[in-house]
Amino acid sequence: MYHSNFERTCMAVYYGWQHAGELAKTNSHSRLWFYCDILHYFFKYGLGSQRYILYHFENKSKEEKERAAALFHQKVFVGRKEADKQRKFIAKWSSIKYQTTSRQQRRRNAAYRKFFHTGEKLFVEYGVTIYYYHHLKGNFKVGERVLFARGCDIDITGDLTFEDGAAVSEGAKILTHRHDSSEYLYKREEESHNVEEMNSTKSSIPTPLVIHERAWIGARAIVLPGVTEIGRLSIIGSGSVVEKKVPPYAIVKGNPAKVVGFRCTPEEAVAFEETYFPPERRIPYETLKANYEKYFNAERRKEIRQWLKY
């Protein structure tokens, strides 16, 4: 939950006095002394009274307090300003009012291009969320002629690249981080009583993803963390849940998503590559042929037909 500066100040003043009274019962300093000390570190470093108690500031020397409070500010508040800036940007420009006229749409597209440093001809519809979590921000790269349709949710906690012509349909969700649920890494931050051990990113693991040229992610599809590539000109069917790398030119659908076909044969793909891509960027025929035979041989087609009956 996000609070405004005014709300946080009111909370510090109110709860600081309560916590100061609790500390005064077991320490030699007065309640007023603790109250002033709590407010000092709040206004200087943003350290609330709960953190003051959690990290046992009452037992620290002045030098230890300054060092611990500065470390807390560095770990929590340095990235918060940028996160708040991005949150406010999304709240403003994802509004449906910028969808009403072509002029408003151009304004939104220009704002997204400038804010995220994307390529030209980016088209963004309303309700698009592009955000990072747990104080982790990956490299977000967007090429030319990319579409983000209405209501899609794009996680940029891990590195995320959209190459030229990629499209994300309405309501699709792309995730680029996962959590380690082991007991040690997943324990609550409040269980640690040392500010040096405070780290909200312990259980968060970024997972980089590249969405290649002209790949199309269908409506309400979900790309789970751990998927490294969505291949060139591939199609992800509506409502699919992608758990694995998608090969170039493939058509995948289902939960979990499976390859159910290819947009063209390897020979046709080679002809397309020669027409639209420079030699250094073309996918070798051997790779295209191997993918086709692996996912779409006679036995595999029989399995797909059986699977699509359900």
Side-chain angles (χ1 to χ4, degrees):
M1 179 182 293
Y2 289 92
H3 299 284
S4 67
N5 291 334
F6 177 75
E7 290 173 328
R8 294 189 67 251
T9 302
C10 291
M11 292 168 64
V13 171
Y14 177 79
Y15 291 109
W17 181 250
Q18 292 185 359
H19 291 148
E22 296 174 6
L23 292 171
K25 294 177 182 179
T26 56
N27 292 274
S28 58
H29 292 295
S30 67
R31 183 177 190 178
L32 181 60
W33 187 94
F34 277 116
Y35 186 54
C36 293
D37 202 45
I38 288 171
L39 292 182
H40 167 74
Y41 287 105
F42 171 76
F43 286 112
K44 187 174 182 180
Y45 295 105
L47 185 84
S49 57
Q50 288 182 326
R51 301 281 186 176
Y52 188 98
I53 294 175
L54 175 65
Y55 300 133
H56 299 294
F57 268 52
E58 71 277 8
N59 299 327
K60 296 181 185 294
S61 65
K62 183 177 180 179
E63 293 75 16
E64 290 173 334
K65 288 180 181 178
E66 290 289 330
R67 185 168 59 252
L71 181 60
F72 169 83
H73 186 273
Q74 176 69 25
K75 287 190 172 184
V76 173
F77 282 91
V78 168
R80 180 170 290 181
K81 289 184 178 179
E82 185 177 357
D84 285 345
K85 181 180 177 182
Q86 184 163 315
R87 178 174 54 84
K88 292 175 182 177
F89 173 87
I90 295 298
K92 174 183 178 180
W93 291 101
S94 64
S95 172
I96 195 172
K97 73 177 183 179
Y98 291 102
Q99 194 74 17
T100 54
T101 65
S102 58
R103 179 176 176 272
Q104 292 287 65
Q105 291 175 12
R106 289 195 297 270
R107 286 186 62 195
R108 172 170 36 220
N109 295 336
Y112 271 83
R113 288 198 298 268
K114 181 178 179 181
F115 190 86
F116 291 106
H117 309 289
T118 70
E120 293 298 321
K121 298 183 180 179
L122 172 69
F123 190 85
V124 183
E125 295 183 349
Y126 66 90
V128 173
T129 301
I130 304 174
Y131 203 70
Y132 64 93
Y133 304 89
H134 312 298
H135 305 295
L136 291 172
K137 184 179 182 181
N139 293 320
F140 182 50
K141 300 179 181 178
V142 181
E144 309 292 330
R145 304 179 307 281
V146 174
L147 166 67
F148 297 145
R150 61 185 182 276
C152 66
D153 187 356
I154 299 172
D155 171 20
I156 57 173
T157 304
D159 295 344
L160 178 59
T161 300
F162 286 89
E163 295 188 345
D164 298 349
V168 183
S169 297
E170 57 269 20
K173 191 176 186 70
I174 298 173
L175 302 172
T176 61
H177 79 283
R178 60 183 178 86
H179 294 278
D180 191 326
S181 58
S182 63
E183 182 178 356
Y184 172 73
L185 292 176
Y186 200 70
K187 68 179 182 179
R188 289 170 56 86
E189 180 185 318
E190 287 77 9
E191 294 175 6
S192 173
H193 299 286
N194 296 316
V195 67
E196 291 80 4
E197 298 178 6
M198 187 272 296
N199 188 353
S200 63
T201 67
K202 277 185 177 180
S203 64
S204 304
I205 303 173
T207 56
L209 170 64
V210 178
I211 299 175
H212 289 284
E213 296 96 340
R214 306 191 189 187
W216 179 14
I217 300 176
R220 304 293 188 274
I222 301 175
V223 180
L224 295 178
V227 179
T228 57
E229 287 184 78
I230 304 295
R232 179 180 294 173
L233 273 93
S234 59
I235 296 177
I236 297 175
S238 299
S240 299
V241 179
V242 182
E243 296 180 333
K244 297 179 180 179
K245 173 181 175 180
V246 178
Y249 297 91
I251 301 172
V252 302
K253 64 180 297 185
N255 179 10
K258 297 181 180 180
V259 177
V260 297
F262 282 83
R263 298 185 67 176
C264 56
T265 65
E267 293 74 19
E268 292 170 336
V270 167
F272 182 87
E273 297 266 325
E274 291 175 350
T275 303
Y276 291 99
F277 296 101
E280 65 275 9
R281 300 215 56 199
R282 295 172 189 166
I283 302 173
Y285 172 77
E286 292 75 17
T287 302
L288 296 169
K289 183 69 173 177
N291 285 333
Y292 194 85
E293 291 179 350
K294 176 181 178 181
Y295 294 102
F296 211 53
N297 54 44
E299 188 64 29
R300 183 79 176 101
R301 286 197 292 271
K302 181 179 178 181
E303 178 186 337
I304 290 170
R305 284 195 296 272
Q306 184 66 25
W307 178 71
L308 290 176
K309 290 180 180 179
Y310 298 98

